[in-house]
Amino acid sequence: VTLTNDCQKWSPEVERQRPKVMTEGGLELRVPTPEEECCLGPACWMWDFLRRSGAAGFFLPLSGGADSSSVAAIVAVMCTLVTKASREDPDGDVAKECRRVCRKDDPWVPSSPQEMANCILHTTFMGTENSSEVTLSRAKRLGEAVGSYHQSIKIDLVVEAILKVFQITTGRVPKFSSRGGTTAEDLALQNIQARIRMVMAYLFAQLLPWVRGRSGFLLVLGSANVDEGLRGYMTKYDCSSADINPIGGISKQDLKRMLIHISSEYPGFGVLAEIANAPPTAELRPIDSAAATAEAGHSQTDEEDMGMTYEELGYFGRLRKISRCGPVSMFNKLLIMWSHLPSSEVAAKVKRFFYYYSVNRHKMTTITPSYHAEAYSPDDNRFDLRQFLYNTRWTRQFAVIDEMVARNVEVEDTAVLDKDKND
């Protein structure tokens, strides 16, 4: 269920008006709210995956942002459901599976969701010199609320070692664009931080059970949302590469609503509302203290980097996948949906989206298996079988859009002249 689809809007009044459906045994069947579906569906899916895989738990790189925090929150909900079922029936199947996964002996059952989370969820904040104290604090507080086995580490030494090898080999030292480097240098320096986090995640996933004196391995959890996949706003083989991704089919807007829902419905998770309201940031460039905001804690924001908002990405995704729109048909539809914008601005947004959509499409061929919750999932392996190599200039389609914009500009100018005459 998507919260941003007009046909699926929910409100308490709508819920009250739903007819009650009762089973023969007197159990009321209730339709969950979209926010509940976003957390309960993936939570059940993750428990099923965990118990079937034979793993000893999960490992999650926890950045303190909305995406990885959403994954941590979903695991917390999973632990709440499993703990409740285990305590209600200590001899039941759920309790037996809980003991097996947590490596505990009969008749143990978790006393709280936090106790179970401490057994199975391992979170690590992998900071660099570009990370802010704000996200470090949020990750730590969320780890405490969930009950995870949490650590905060710095990966600067690994980054420096890799760059030193590059310098010895080539004799060149790349720089960030803010320090005089080119765009290629800037992107490379951002990507190496992201990719090191993936390597560190798998190292910790293999060895943390051993460190804690336990057996088994951990499943690495990914945390890239559906909108970032659609736009390609991720580094190939970074923390979007994992064993499973519970939010890969959920949009950013829906995730934020889910975080606010969990913060109000589950005691002790007030930090999630703070995370939901913070501007998303990758924290891969040096902090510009003059441009950094108190809410973000950093000067680099996702929407500025992408050149479009997450709300706009929701429109693009539904039109591209569900309505099967190419550049021209999407432009035509958005002219009506975004009638408050000049046609030239709508055209620029459509062109920008299709450029990045096509140039990054190759990333979808290696995307982590995700919980399917959105009808415009870009997962190339199962849900979106379009080609992944495009002419990124979209020559014919963009030329048609330019012609249509020219005609619309004439109409818009005529309308302004007529209005001036009437005034």
Side-chain angles (χ1 to χ4, degrees):
V1 171
T2 173
L3 306 181
T4 50
N5 189 326
D6 290 339
C7 298
Q8 297 171 334
K9 286 182 178 177
W10 177 90
S11 68
E13 183 60 32
V14 170
E15 182 66 24
R16 284 193 291 271
Q17 293 174 1
R18 292 184 190 273
K20 289 188 176 182
V21 180
M22 309 293 291
T23 65
E24 291 182 0
L27 177 67
E28 180 184 348
L29 300 181
R30 188 178 66 84
V31 178
T33 67
E35 292 91 343
E36 289 174 320
E37 285 195 27
C38 283
C39 60
L40 294 176
C44 293
W45 177 73
M46 290 175 73
W47 172 243
D48 194 48
F49 201 104
L50 177 61
R51 68 185 186 84
R52 287 170 182 264
S53 69
F58 299 120
F59 179 86
L60 172 66
L62 184 59
S63 69
D67 293 332
S68 61
S69 297
S70 294
V71 175
I74 289 170
V75 176
V77 171
M78 182 199 81
C79 291
T80 300
L81 297 174
V82 174
T83 299
K84 181 176 183 294
S86 298
R87 294 187 64 79
E88 289 175 351
D89 185 7
D91 297 319
D93 291 340
V94 176
K96 291 177 181 176
E97 289 288 82
C98 182
R99 284 190 284 271
R100 181 178 64 82
V101 169
C102 294
R103 277 44 175 181
K104 298 289 186 179
D105 297 325
D106 190 41
W108 179 88
V109 291
S111 60
S112 67
Q114 285 76 16
E115 183 182 9
M116 180 182 173
N118 189 259
C119 290
I120 66 167
L121 180 60
H122 304 70
T123 56
T124 301
F125 178 86
M126 301 186 191
T128 69
E129 61 181 358
N130 302 319
S131 303
S132 69
E133 292 296 322
V134 174
T135 50
L136 171 65
S137 170
R138 287 175 185 149
K140 184 175 183 294
R141 285 181 284 145
L142 180 56
E144 291 172 350
V146 172
S148 66
Y149 180 84
H150 183 74
Q151 302 173 101
S152 297
I153 65 171
K154 287 284 189 179
I155 61 171
D156 291 308
L157 284 175
V158 188
V159 176
E160 291 167 6
I162 290 177
L163 291 176
K164 189 66 177 177
V165 172
F166 180 83
Q167 181 184 355
I168 293 171
T169 305
T170 65
R172 305 291 294 276
V173 179
K175 299 178 182 178
F176 286 101
S177 56
S178 61
R179 297 173 179 174
T182 63
T183 300
E185 293 172 71
D186 190 274
L187 286 174
L189 289 172
Q190 292 187 68
N191 288 340
I192 194 60
Q193 298 169 69
R195 290 187 173 117
I196 286 170
R197 288 186 175 119
M198 187 271 288
V199 174
M200 296 296 291
Y202 275 95
L203 175 66
F204 275 67
Q206 283 189 293
L207 293 181
L208 276 182
W210 167 69
V211 169
R212 301 185 71 186
R214 300 177 180 183
S215 60
F217 63 96
L218 305 177
L219 293 169
V220 178
L221 298 178
S223 55
N225 63 65
V226 70
D227 294 327
E228 289 173 345
L230 182 76
R231 161 65 171 71
Y233 184 65
M234 59 176 68
T235 299
K236 201 172 188 179
Y237 304 118
D238 67 349
C239 285
S240 62
S241 297
D243 294 315
I244 56 173
N245 180 4
I247 67 168
I250 305 177
S251 72
K252 189 77 156 191
Q253 301 292 86
D254 292 357
L255 287 174
K256 288 189 172 186
R257 292 184 178 93
M258 183 197 74
L259 289 175
I260 293 172
H261 164 75
I262 295 176
S263 71
S264 62
E265 294 295 322
Y266 293 78
F269 284 92
V271 66
L272 291 179
E274 178 187 334
I275 292 170
N277 292 316
T281 171
E283 296 194 338
L284 295 173
R285 291 194 186 105
I287 300 174
D288 180 354
S289 55
T293 63
E295 294 80 9
H298 206 283
S299 51
Q300 180 184 13
T301 62
D302 289 359
E303 292 186 343
E304 184 178 346
D305 274 0
M306 291 191 298
M308 58 193 75
T309 66
Y310 280 106
E311 183 179 3
E312 289 170 348
L313 272 172
Y315 280 98
F316 296 143
R318 286 190 293 276
L319 290 173
R320 176 59 177 159
K321 183 71 193 298
I322 302 172
S323 301
R324 296 180 173 84
C325 288
V328 177
S329 55
M330 184 182 291
F331 172 71
N332 276 324
K333 288 180 182 292
L334 287 176
L335 275 179
I336 298 171
M337 298 169 75
W338 293 346
S339 57
H340 60 288
L341 296 176
S343 57
S344 57
E345 188 172 342
V346 175
K349 290 178 181 292
V350 170
K351 289 180 179 180
R352 186 182 302 117
F353 165 72
F354 270 98
Y355 169 76
Y356 285 111
Y357 166 83
S358 54
V359 80
N360 289 312
R361 184 80 179 116
H362 65 95
K363 296 178 182 178
M364 295 302 97
T365 62
T366 59
I367 200 71
T368 299
S370 305
Y371 176 81
H372 184 44
E374 183 60 80
Y376 64 90
S377 173
D379 187 336
D380 181 78
N381 301 294
R382 293 181 293 170
F383 303 120
D384 193 341
L385 303 181
R386 289 188 178 93
Q387 66 196 70
F388 61 88
L389 185 61
Y390 283 96
N391 172 7
T392 59
R393 293 190 299 271
W394 298 84
T395 314
R396 182 185 64 82
Q397 293 92 335
F398 285 4
V400 171
I401 290 176
D402 289 339
E403 292 174 7
M404 296 173 70
V405 168
R407 291 198 297 269
N408 276 316
V409 168
E410 290 180 10
V411 173
E412 291 165 358
D413 290 345
T414 302
V416 170
L417 288 173
D418 290 343
K419 184 177 182 302
D420 290 341
K421 289 177 181 178
N422 292 332
D423 291 343

